[in-house]
Amino acid sequence: MPKLEGFEFWSRTLGGARHVVAPMVDQSELAWRLLSRRHGAQLCYTPMLHAQVFVRDANYRKENLYCEVCPEDRPLIVQFCANDPEVFVQAALLAQDHCDAIDLNLGCPQMIAKRGHYGAFLQEEWDLLQRMILLAHEKLSVPVTCKIRVFPDIDKTVRYARMLEKAGCQLLTVHGRTKEQKGPLSGPASWEHIKAVRKAVAIPVFANGNIQCLRDVERCIQDTGVQGVMSAEGNLHNPALFEGRSPAVWELADEYLAIVQRHPCPLSYVRAHLFKLWHHTLQVHQQLREELAKVKTLEGIAAVSQELKLRCQEDMSRQKEGEKPAGGLPFFHWICQPYFRPGPKEGSRENGAARSKRALEEEEGSVDVLSKNKQKKQLRNPHKTFDPSLKPKYAKCDQCGNPKGNRCVFNLCRGCCKKQASQETADCPGHGLLFKTKLEKSLAWKGAQPRLPDPQQAGPREPTGFPEVVGSALA
């Protein structure tokens, strides 16, 4: 069959999907996708998969895709991160029989994407992206799609989208934030950018950003003219978002745990989903937050969820008539509802430019602006401080800037010391490197060994009177 393209692909293969669950690392696994589909999602993406690992590691393919094949889980788009056309296509060829399209991640703004040189950190390399999309479009039996972030400039964003369309992209998801907008500096997504892209291209466009409820979905489609709307955080806090419902948290938590029983996934995924679903309740019953973080089994997680349910029902029974939700929430804490990420504190912007999260942490020294990782460390050790002025000072290596060894004879770190000691055949007792000593011992041992006679210089052997026999006959 000929490969469907553009609007024909969206309407026939994807069923004209308008409600889309985003690709989320460790979060859009099969169990969560099935839960979302039961509650209004019409199209789902897998978590982002690393193309190079997918090609070389059969276990990675099995755990992340092949074992998750399920007839109910369609239509499905598999997303890869990659920075090499050949590797991207090899991974896509291994995945294409298990999905309806292959998506190239050009939107991840995290530091791991910067180090790995993929995601949003490829958005300036247009020649490379053209080659990747073009090769995939030629080689694959399913369409290739892209998920991008915008540039600050609308015109450049439009040119970027047109370039991807020309290369062979059949569907474009536009996240209306720049790659610098992340974490506490996220801010609102720009629907103006998305609207401009939608008008400029002749392929279907999905919008991503600012979606917390069904009204947002409808408003976004109306304001931007896109074919569908993708939700990530909104879906994690309320999987029934696309139904326009805000059910009791335990209703969806119990349903999700039942699906996990049939379609197992790592316990870390389950725990993360429960933290999101019970987010507002865990602000009230904080001791159960610690219990949820510590349990080591699925049964343990289910028990904590049941205890949270009982606590919520007790809170409901004590609720007074006309009482309003605390903390400015739209609903009481036991109801699924949006989570609005707190922005940076007043004064965190200088000359209109957003400052980094690390800069905010160093300036404020407050738990409120610490990263989630640091907050977890502080929970485990309340006396831990992240004040840089209290950190111990280390002398730096003369070559690379890492801390040097206090007793290093070269005044270097271990890595640089090992390299130099090897080149000079020298010792460094401080790092336990003994190249010179080992060489001297080796030469001394060789000198002490008796010389064996050279068989070519030895004369003919005297006859022994015994016939020659092979070794196996004597054994």
Side-chain angles (χ1 to χ4, degrees):
M1 288 180 63
K3 182 165 61 177
L4 299 182
E5 298 182 356
F7 279 92
E8 193 178 12
F9 157 66
W10 171 69
S11 61
R12 291 175 59 182
T13 304
L14 303 185
R18 288 184 174 271
H19 300 159
V20 186
V21 174
M24 297 174 283
V25 175
D26 298 345
Q27 297 282 265
S28 59
E29 83 286 357
L30 176 61
W32 190 260
R33 297 197 301 265
L34 293 177
L35 176 71
S36 299
R37 289 180 191 277
R38 290 183 182 183
H39 295 282
Q42 298 163 337
L43 169 65
C44 294
Y45 284 64
T46 66
M48 180 194 75
L49 305 177
H50 199 294
Q52 197 168 41
V53 182
F54 196 84
V55 169
R56 72 166 184 254
D57 191 337
N59 284 333
Y60 184 80
R61 295 195 292 271
K62 183 178 177 182
E63 291 168 5
N64 289 281
L65 184 61
Y66 295 170
C67 280
E68 293 202 340
V69 173
C70 175
E72 305 163 57
D73 189 33
R74 300 297 279 269
L76 177 70
I77 296 180
V78 173
Q79 187 187 69
F80 286 107
C81 68
N83 56 21
D84 180 281
E86 295 293 339
V87 173
F88 175 51
V89 170
Q90 287 175 35
L93 288 169
L94 290 168
Q96 67 179 0
D97 293 338
H98 304 277
C99 63
D100 298 288
I102 299 292
D103 187 75
L104 177 60
N105 182 335
L106 300 175
C108 181
Q110 304 303 328
M111 185 54 67
I112 191 171
K114 185 175 184 179
R115 289 196 297 266
H117 192 54
Y118 59 80
F121 297 93
L122 294 178
Q123 66 178 177
E124 296 286 358
E125 301 187 33
W126 291 17
D127 288 341
L128 172 63
L129 296 180
Q130 278 181 316
R131 286 187 283 119
M132 291 176 74
I133 300 299
L134 185 61
L135 187 63
H137 181 54
E138 289 175 354
K139 299 289 186 182
L140 301 182
S141 61
V142 296
V144 60
T145 69
C146 296
K147 184 173 186 289
I148 66 172
R149 283 196 170 222
V150 300
F151 291 95
D153 180 52
I154 291 181
D155 290 339
K156 187 173 182 180
T157 304
V158 166
R159 293 198 307 274
Y160 182 43
R162 283 176 170 161
M163 177 272 294
L164 295 172
E165 178 190 19
K166 187 177 179 182
C169 175
Q170 301 304 317
L171 185 148
L172 196 60
T173 301
V174 184
H175 187 159
R177 294 184 176 92
T178 65
K179 71 176 187 292
E180 290 76 28
Q181 288 180 275
K182 57 183 179 178
L185 303 176
S186 288
S190 169
W191 286 0
E192 287 301 315
H193 283 72
I194 299 172
K195 182 179 181 180
V197 169
R198 174 66 204 96
K199 286 182 176 179
V201 298
I203 56 174
V205 174
F206 290 161
N208 183 208
N210 302 348
I211 305 300
Q212 297 289 358
C213 62
L214 188 60
R215 287 194 306 276
D216 293 337
V217 174
E218 294 164 351
R219 189 164 56 86
C220 181
I221 291 173
Q222 184 177 354
D223 290 358
T224 63
V226 292
Q227 279 62 52
V229 170
M230 178 181 284
S231 175
E233 281 204 3
N235 166 261
L236 291 175
H237 287 274
N238 181 11
L241 178 152
F242 290 127
E243 288 183 316
R245 291 195 310 127
S246 294
V249 174
W250 60 80
E251 177 187 326
L252 295 176
D254 291 349
E255 188 176 359
Y256 171 65
L257 291 170
I259 296 173
V260 172
Q261 293 279 3
R262 295 195 303 278
H263 301 282
C265 64
L267 199 66
S268 59
Y269 298 8
V270 182
R271 194 194 317 274
H273 281 304
L274 269 288
F275 268 119
K276 288 282 198 305
L277 287 171
W278 286 111
H279 174 84
H280 296 292
T281 297
L282 289 170
Q283 310 306 307
V284 178
H285 302 287
Q286 295 198 6
Q287 70 278 17
L288 289 175
R289 181 185 186 86
E290 292 183 27
E291 287 188 32
L292 184 57
K294 290 176 183 176
V295 289
K296 304 293 184 186
T297 63
L298 183 62
E299 293 72 21
I301 287 179
V304 175
S305 187
Q306 284 301 309
E307 181 61 28
L308 283 163
K309 176 181 176 179
L310 293 174
R311 298 282 183 95
C312 287
Q313 289 173 341
E314 289 173 8
D315 292 345
M316 289 172 66
S317 66
R318 291 194 294 268
Q319 182 183 342
K320 297 176 182 176
E321 189 176 347
E323 184 179 349
K324 292 185 178 180
L329 296 176
F331 306 108
F332 289 98
H333 64 79
W334 55 82
I335 300 296
C336 286
Q337 57 193 294
Y339 166 67
F340 296 98
R341 188 191 296 271
K345 290 191 173 183
E346 290 298 320
S348 65
R349 293 177 180 271
E350 189 172 321
N351 300 326
R355 304 174 72 181
S356 72
K357 180 164 69 175
R358 184 179 293 272
L360 292 177
E361 288 177 6
E362 290 174 355
E363 180 180 292
E364 301 283 348
S366 166
V367 176
D368 292 339
V369 291
L370 289 179
S371 67
K372 288 183 181 177
N373 228 8
K374 289 181 179 178
Q375 288 183 45
K376 287 177 187 174
K377 288 178 183 177
Q378 207 160 52
L379 267 177
R380 291 194 294 267
N381 180 7
H383 302 294
K384 189 170 183 66
T385 178
F386 297 99
D387 185 349
S389 64
L390 299 177
K391 287 185 179 179
K393 305 294 182 185
Y394 297 103
K396 291 185 178 180
C397 168
D398 293 344
Q399 291 185 9
C400 70
N402 286 326
K404 73 174 185 179
N406 290 331
R407 293 181 295 163
C408 177
V409 297
F410 299 110
N411 287 322
L412 302 175
C413 67
R414 181 176 174 80
C416 297
C417 174
K418 186 175 182 180
K419 197 178 294 181
Q420 186 156 337
S422 174
Q423 290 171 353
E424 299 181 11
T425 318
D427 288 349
C428 177
H431 280 123
L433 302 172
L434 304 173
F435 291 102
K436 182 180 178 182
T437 302
K438 287 179 180 178
L439 178 63
E440 289 173 349
K441 284 184 179 179
S442 173
L443 293 173
W445 181 83
K446 286 181 181 176
Q449 297 304 305
R451 277 186 179 276
L452 296 175
D454 190 339
Q456 292 181 352
Q457 295 177 0
R461 293 192 310 175
E462 294 182 7
T464 61
F466 295 100
E468 292 286 342
V469 292
V470 294
S472 60
L474 294 173

